[in-house]
Amino acid sequence: MTRQTSTMLEKVRYIAVEGPIGAGKTSLAQRLATYLPSAKPVFERPQDNPFLARFYQHPERWALPAQLSFLFQRFEQLAALGREGMGENQCIVADFMLERDPLFARLNLAPDELALYEKIYAAMKPPSLFVPDLVIYLQAPVTALAERVYKRGIDAERRITESYLEKVAKHYADFFFRYEASPLFAVDAAVLNPVDNDDDFKLLVTRLEEMRGYREFFGYAG
């Protein structure tokens, strides 16, 4: 009798879809949550951050309150998941991971603000950090990110510049180059569109189910 091996998507309990602004992480997380049985979607809520629009207008003035607002929001979301518990076969599909917050803090905050933020983060962080079982990292060139941000037409994002997107993309690339806490599945979101293209989405799911390594790249040449 042949023993069947569970696929990656059958084993994971927490999938985080990550990537720079405009990479398509929320849209892909929504589609994955719809596809996977018993999946619980958990999405960040930028519309609930009262400082975000002001940050894009005056980043030096509003970076710290915007950053702390996101930090408290994400801690509350993860704490709520812990209180609610999960069913035996349930999984979480989120468009963020908690480690995103220090990444943006290092990008946006002045040194003294960053020192204060890091003290708050360390005091709030639970002893066992809620670590994803799988991270899907969407990559795309800055020109593609800028075009997608412009097309979705969110008022708070209208002041985002290509130079800022370039810094965000570089911070993500540096972070995931060293990332080892979870299996990492990097996707070339410039040539693949698993959100709107059914064939690309089916191919993505197949590659995830067949994933055996700790780090894999998904592209037409990958």
Side-chain angles (χ1 to χ4, degrees), residues 146-165:
E147 182 180 355
R148 293 170 188 175
V149 169
Y150 175 78
K151 282 184 177 179
R152 64 191 187 191
I154 299 174
D155 287 340
E157 297 179 344
R158 293 188 183 278
R159 293 180 179 268
I160 297 178
T161 64
E162 285 199 19
S163 62
Y164 180 72
L165 288 174

Side-chain angles (χ1 to χ4, degrees), residues 6-45:
S6 298
T7 68
M8 174 64 77
L9 291 180
E10 291 172 333
K11 293 186 292 185
V12 296
R13 303 293 302 280
Y14 171 21
I15 301 172
V17 183
E18 267 292 1
I21 304 165
K25 52 188 173 290
T26 301
S27 298
L28 179 57
Q30 288 173 330
R31 185 155 193 184
L32 278 171
T34 300
Y35 171 81
L36 296 172
S38 303
K40 180 180 179 64
V42 181
F43 303 137
E44 70 170 355
R45 302 188 301 269

